[in-house]
Amino acid sequence: MFLLKAEKSISVTLGIIQSVVALSAIPAGILMIIQPDGSRLGIPLELLDASPFSDFFIPGMFLFLINGLGQGFAGISSFIQFKFYRTLGFIFGIILILWIIIQVYFVNPIHFLQVIYFVFGIAEVVLALFLLNSKKI
């Protein structure tokens, strides 16, 4: 009984984190797609000088589709405890961590939001792993 209550609380926490990521990534991604020079978000194009991108269109597409819609789907899955929500939490947590690592590699200096979203990614992975392991018990 306790494990079921804990699993529900953890899946809701996972869903909240995923929803926060999605709700911030969707509008940012859309703005990068609409205005790939970064001006709508006040991001200088020079940040991409050391990256393989000439503008923010492709990063914006990734941000919108994967960290936005994908995390949103994973968040809904976590709230309703859809069959694969644990695995989705793990996968999207890893993707978010990699997204931030790649950003930091190509763009300097590190912004405080990158640290926050890196922590969100780690939290997603940890919570998902706990849920995956509790499923085996």
Side-chain angles (χ1 to χ4, degrees):
M1 181 72 158
F2 172 75
L3 195 55
L4 290 175
K5 286 184 180 182
E7 185 173 340
K8 182 64 178 169
S9 296
I10 292 169
S11 68
V12 167
T13 303
L14 180 60
I16 290 169
I17 292 168
Q18 292 164 327
S19 297
V20 168
V21 172
L23 290 173
S24 59
I26 290 171
I30 288 172
L31 291 175
M32 287 178 173
I33 293 165
I34 291 172
Q35 198 96 34
D37 65 359
S39 61
R40 289 258 173 123
L41 289 171
I43 305 171
L45 205 52
E46 294 79 36
L47 282 179
L48 297 178
D49 285 348
S51 81
F53 305 109
S54 59
D55 62 27
F56 289 103
F57 182 79
I58 292 174
M61 289 291 290
F62 187 91
L63 189 61
F64 174 72
L65 294 172
I66 306 301
N67 288 330
L69 298 181
Q71 287 272 11
F73 175 74
I76 291 167
S77 297
S78 294
F79 287 128
I80 65 172
Q81 293 185 325
F82 174 68
K83 185 176 180 179
F84 300 110
Y85 80 96
R86 298 168 184 93
T87 304
L88 289 172
F90 179 79
I91 291 168
F92 281 102
I94 293 293
I95 289 170
L96 184 57
I97 290 168
L98 291 173
W99 169 258
I100 297 301
I101 289 171
I102 291 166
Q103 272 187 17
V104 170
Y105 178 78
F106 285 116
V107 180
N108 283 315
I110 295 174
H111 193 274
F112 80 95
L113 285 175
Q114 291 169 318
V115 175
I116 291 170
Y117 285 96
F118 187 78
V119 171
F120 282 167
I122 291 172
E124 282 186 74
V125 169
V126 169
L127 294 173
L129 285 174
F130 178 85
L131 291 166
L132 284 164
N133 286 327
S134 70
K135 181 181 177 185
K136 296 175 186 174
I137 297 173

